[in-house]
Amino acid sequence: MKFKKRLLSVMVLGLILPSLTVSASASSKTIPKKLRGTWVSKAQYNSKHHSKKTMWLPKLKLKVYKKSAKWQMKGTLPVDGGHYDHKVHTIKSTKYRYGMVTLKGKTMFTRQNFLAAYGKKIVFGTERGTSIFMTRAK
Protein backbone atom coordinates (compact mmCIF):
# COMPACT_ATOMS: atom_id res chain seq x y z
CA MET A 1 0.00 0.00 0.00
CA LYS A 2 2.82 2.43 0.88
CA PHE A 3 4.52 1.62 -2.39
CA LYS A 4 1.38 2.56 -4.40
CA LYS A 5 1.02 5.88 -2.52
CA ARG A 6 4.66 6.78 -3.12
CA LEU A 7 4.41 5.81 -6.77
CA LEU A 8 1.27 7.92 -7.13
CA SER A 9 2.92 10.94 -5.45
CA VAL A 10 6.00 10.63 -7.70
CA MET A 11 3.76 10.48 -10.78
CA VAL A 12 1.79 13.54 -9.66
CA LEU A 13 5.04 15.46 -9.05
CA GLY A 14 6.25 14.36 -12.48
CA LEU A 15 3.17 15.92 -14.06
CA ILE A 16 3.09 19.13 -11.98
CA LEU A 17 6.81 19.98 -11.80
CA PRO A 18 7.34 20.85 -15.49
CA SER A 19 4.54 23.43 -15.32
CA LEU A 20 6.20 25.15 -12.33
CA THR A 21 9.59 25.66 -13.98
CA VAL A 22 10.45 28.78 -15.97
CA SER A 23 10.63 28.22 -19.69
CA ALA A 24 13.22 29.90 -21.89
CA SER A 25 12.05 32.96 -23.78
CA ALA A 26 11.70 32.78 -27.53
CA SER A 27 13.76 35.92 -28.08
CA SER A 28 17.34 36.21 -26.93
CA LYS A 29 18.90 39.31 -25.40
CA THR A 30 22.40 38.74 -26.77
CA ILE A 31 23.51 40.59 -29.86
CA PRO A 32 24.96 38.41 -32.66
CA LYS A 33 28.73 38.51 -33.25
CA LYS A 34 28.40 39.92 -36.76
CA LEU A 35 26.80 43.08 -35.30
CA ARG A 36 29.37 43.59 -32.53
CA GLY A 37 32.28 46.00 -32.80
CA THR A 38 32.74 49.69 -33.50
CA TRP A 39 30.58 51.29 -36.20
CA VAL A 40 30.63 54.87 -37.52
CA SER A 41 28.58 57.05 -39.82
CA LYS A 42 29.52 60.30 -41.48
CA ALA A 43 27.76 63.58 -40.83
CA GLN A 44 24.83 64.22 -43.15
CA TYR A 45 24.15 67.55 -44.83
CA ASN A 46 21.23 69.26 -46.62
CA SER A 47 23.29 70.52 -49.56
CA LYS A 48 26.39 69.68 -51.56
CA HIS A 49 28.32 72.47 -49.82
CA HIS A 50 29.31 70.94 -46.49
CA SER A 51 29.27 73.48 -43.70
CA LYS A 52 27.97 73.58 -40.16
CA LYS A 53 24.95 75.54 -41.42
CA THR A 54 23.74 72.71 -43.65
CA MET A 55 24.37 69.77 -41.26
CA TRP A 56 21.22 67.93 -40.22
CA LEU A 57 22.79 64.86 -38.57
CA PRO A 58 26.23 64.88 -36.93
CA LYS A 59 28.79 62.09 -36.98
CA LEU A 60 27.72 59.01 -35.00
CA LYS A 61 29.95 56.45 -33.30
CA LEU A 62 28.43 53.20 -32.03
CA LYS A 63 30.18 50.46 -30.05
CA VAL A 64 28.19 47.23 -29.87
CA TYR A 65 28.89 44.72 -27.11
CA LYS A 66 27.31 41.36 -26.16
CA LYS A 67 24.21 42.76 -24.40
CA SER A 68 24.50 46.53 -24.84
CA ALA A 69 25.66 49.31 -27.13
CA LYS A 70 27.18 52.74 -26.52
CA TRP A 71 26.60 55.65 -28.86
CA GLN A 72 28.02 59.15 -29.17
CA MET A 73 27.16 62.05 -31.48
CA LYS A 74 29.92 64.47 -32.52
CA GLY A 75 28.95 67.79 -34.04
CA THR A 76 26.60 70.72 -33.63
CA LEU A 77 23.38 71.59 -35.38
CA PRO A 78 22.83 75.06 -36.91
CA VAL A 79 19.77 75.78 -34.72
CA ASP A 80 20.34 77.84 -31.57
CA GLY A 81 20.68 75.41 -28.69
CA GLY A 82 20.54 72.48 -31.12
CA HIS A 83 23.73 70.78 -30.07
CA TYR A 84 24.45 67.29 -28.86
CA ASP A 85 26.00 66.76 -25.45
CA HIS A 86 28.91 64.65 -26.83
CA LYS A 87 28.45 62.20 -23.94
CA VAL A 88 28.61 58.44 -24.37
CA HIS A 89 25.14 56.96 -23.84
CA THR A 90 24.39 53.29 -23.10
CA ILE A 91 21.46 51.36 -24.50
CA LYS A 92 20.68 47.75 -23.57
CA SER A 93 19.41 44.94 -25.73
CA THR A 94 15.88 43.80 -24.87
CA LYS A 95 15.30 41.22 -27.60
CA TYR A 96 16.63 39.77 -30.83
CA ARG A 97 14.02 38.56 -33.30
CA TYR A 98 13.90 38.11 -37.06
CA GLY A 99 17.44 39.47 -37.53
CA MET A 100 16.73 42.72 -35.67
CA VAL A 101 17.92 43.76 -32.19
CA THR A 102 15.70 46.02 -30.09
CA LEU A 103 17.58 48.44 -27.81
CA LYS A 104 16.17 50.52 -24.92
CA GLY A 105 17.67 53.06 -22.57
CA LYS A 106 19.17 56.49 -23.32
CA THR A 107 18.26 56.35 -27.01
CA MET A 108 18.77 58.97 -29.67
CA PHE A 109 15.38 60.37 -30.71
CA THR A 110 12.73 57.97 -29.36
CA ARG A 111 12.31 55.31 -26.68
CA GLN A 112 13.58 52.42 -28.81
CA ASN A 113 16.37 51.89 -31.31
CA PHE A 114 16.93 48.97 -33.65
CA LEU A 115 20.00 47.29 -35.12
CA ALA A 116 19.93 45.09 -38.21
CA ALA A 117 22.53 43.72 -40.60
CA TYR A 118 22.47 45.00 -44.18
CA GLY A 119 25.25 43.25 -46.08
CA LYS A 120 28.56 44.54 -44.70
CA LYS A 121 26.82 47.53 -43.11
CA ILE A 122 24.34 47.81 -40.28
CA VAL A 123 21.20 49.88 -40.04
CA PHE A 124 20.75 51.82 -36.81
CA GLY A 125 17.08 52.77 -36.81
CA THR A 126 14.64 54.54 -34.53
CA GLU A 127 11.04 53.91 -33.59
CA ARG A 128 9.60 56.46 -36.02
CA GLY A 129 11.49 55.32 -39.10
CA THR A 130 14.82 57.16 -39.16
CA SER A 131 17.56 54.87 -40.50
CA ILE A 132 21.29 55.50 -40.29
CA PHE A 133 23.55 53.24 -42.35
CA MET A 134 26.84 52.59 -40.55
CA THR A 135 30.16 51.03 -41.60
CA ARG A 136 32.87 49.40 -39.49
CA ALA A 137 35.43 51.72 -37.95
CA LYS A 138 39.00 51.31 -39.13
PDB file of all heavy atoms in Angstrom, residues 6 21 35 41 45 80 103 117:
ATOM      1  N   ARG A   6       3.427   6.091  -2.716  1.00  0.00           N
ATOM      2  CA  ARG A   6       4.661   6.776  -3.116  1.00  0.00           C
ATOM      3  C   ARG A   6       4.744   6.867  -4.636  1.00  0.00           C
ATOM      4  O   ARG A   6       5.151   7.894  -5.183  1.00  0.00           O
ATOM      5  CB  ARG A   6       5.877   6.052  -2.567  1.00  0.00           C
ATOM      6  CG  ARG A   6       6.054   6.267  -1.098  1.00  0.00           C
ATOM      7  CD  ARG A   6       7.319   5.650  -0.609  1.00  0.00           C
ATOM      8  NE  ARG A   6       7.436   5.845   0.836  1.00  0.00           N
ATOM      9  CZ  ARG A   6       8.314   5.249   1.589  1.00  0.00           C
ATOM     10  NH1 ARG A   6       9.169   4.381   1.056  1.00  0.00           N
ATOM     11  NH2 ARG A   6       8.355   5.472   2.876  1.00  0.00           N
ATOM     12  N   THR A  21       8.273  25.141 -13.607  1.00  0.00           N
ATOM     13  CA  THR A  21       9.586  25.659 -13.984  1.00  0.00           C
ATOM     14  C   THR A  21       9.435  26.806 -14.974  1.00  0.00           C
ATOM     15  O   THR A  21       8.431  26.919 -15.674  1.00  0.00           O
ATOM     16  CB  THR A  21      10.457  24.555 -14.605  1.00  0.00           C
ATOM     17  OG1 THR A  21       9.784  24.051 -15.758  1.00  0.00           O
ATOM     18  CG2 THR A  21      10.718  23.451 -13.611  1.00  0.00           C
ATOM     19  N   LEU A  35      27.195  41.700 -35.561  1.00  0.00           N
ATOM     20  CA  LEU A  35      26.800  43.083 -35.303  1.00  0.00           C
ATOM     21  C   LEU A  35      27.705  43.771 -34.286  1.00  0.00           C
ATOM     22  O   LEU A  35      27.655  44.986 -34.137  1.00  0.00           O
ATOM     23  CB  LEU A  35      25.354  43.144 -34.797  1.00  0.00           C
ATOM     24  CG  LEU A  35      24.266  42.686 -35.755  1.00  0.00           C
ATOM     25  CD1 LEU A  35      22.915  42.759 -35.072  1.00  0.00           C
ATOM     26  CD2 LEU A  35      24.258  43.521 -37.006  1.00  0.00           C
ATOM     27  N   SER A  41      29.254  56.476 -38.656  1.00  0.00           N
ATOM     28  CA  SER A  41      28.577  57.054 -39.819  1.00  0.00           C
ATOM     29  C   SER A  41      29.072  58.483 -39.980  1.00  0.00           C
ATOM     30  O   SER A  41      29.446  59.138 -39.009  1.00  0.00           O
ATOM     31  CB  SER A  41      27.062  57.036 -39.639  1.00  0.00           C
ATOM     32  OG  SER A  41      26.676  57.980 -38.672  1.00  0.00           O
ATOM     33  N   TYR A  45      24.388  66.149 -44.554  1.00  0.00           N
ATOM     34  CA  TYR A  45      24.145  67.553 -44.832  1.00  0.00           C
ATOM     35  C   TYR A  45      22.937  67.722 -45.750  1.00  0.00           C
ATOM     36  O   TYR A  45      22.544  66.813 -46.458  1.00  0.00           O
ATOM     37  CB  TYR A  45      25.383  68.172 -45.491  1.00  0.00           C
ATOM     38  CG  TYR A  45      26.612  68.104 -44.617  1.00  0.00           C
ATOM     39  CD1 TYR A  45      27.472  67.010 -44.681  1.00  0.00           C
ATOM     40  CD2 TYR A  45      26.898  69.118 -43.733  1.00  0.00           C
ATOM     41  CE1 TYR A  45      28.593  66.941 -43.878  1.00  0.00           C
ATOM     42  CE2 TYR A  45      28.018  69.061 -42.927  1.00  0.00           C
ATOM     43  CZ  TYR A  45      28.864  67.970 -43.002  1.00  0.00           C
ATOM     44  OH  TYR A  45      29.959  67.905 -42.198  1.00  0.00           O
ATOM     45  N   ASP A  80      19.881  77.360 -32.872  1.00  0.00           N
ATOM     46  CA  ASP A  80      20.344  77.845 -31.566  1.00  0.00           C
ATOM     47  C   ASP A  80      19.965  76.837 -30.492  1.00  0.00           C
ATOM     48  O   ASP A  80      18.794  76.475 -30.352  1.00  0.00           O
ATOM     49  CB  ASP A  80      19.716  79.195 -31.226  1.00  0.00           C
ATOM     50  CG  ASP A  80      20.238  80.288 -32.129  1.00  0.00           C
ATOM     51  OD1 ASP A  80      20.985  79.960 -33.054  1.00  0.00           O
ATOM     52  OD2 ASP A  80      19.900  81.454 -31.899  1.00  0.00           O
ATOM     53  N   LEU A 103      16.762  47.831 -28.861  1.00  0.00           N
ATOM     54  CA  LEU A 103      17.576  48.438 -27.811  1.00  0.00           C
ATOM     55  C   LEU A 103      16.756  49.496 -27.075  1.00  0.00           C
ATOM     56  O   LEU A 103      16.043  50.284 -27.702  1.00  0.00           O
ATOM     57  CB  LEU A 103      18.820  49.086 -28.409  1.00  0.00           C
ATOM     58  CG  LEU A 103      19.716  48.161 -29.236  1.00  0.00           C
ATOM     59  CD1 LEU A 103      20.596  48.967 -30.144  1.00  0.00           C
ATOM     60  CD2 LEU A 103      20.547  47.303 -28.326  1.00  0.00           C
ATOM     61  N   ALA A 117      21.452  43.873 -39.634  1.00  0.00           N
ATOM     62  CA  ALA A 117      22.534  43.723 -40.604  1.00  0.00           C
ATOM     63  C   ALA A 117      21.998  44.015 -42.001  1.00  0.00           C
ATOM     64  O   ALA A 117      20.874  43.658 -42.345  1.00  0.00           O
ATOM     65  CB  ALA A 117      23.096  42.319 -40.544  1.00  0.00           C
TER      66      ALA A 117
END
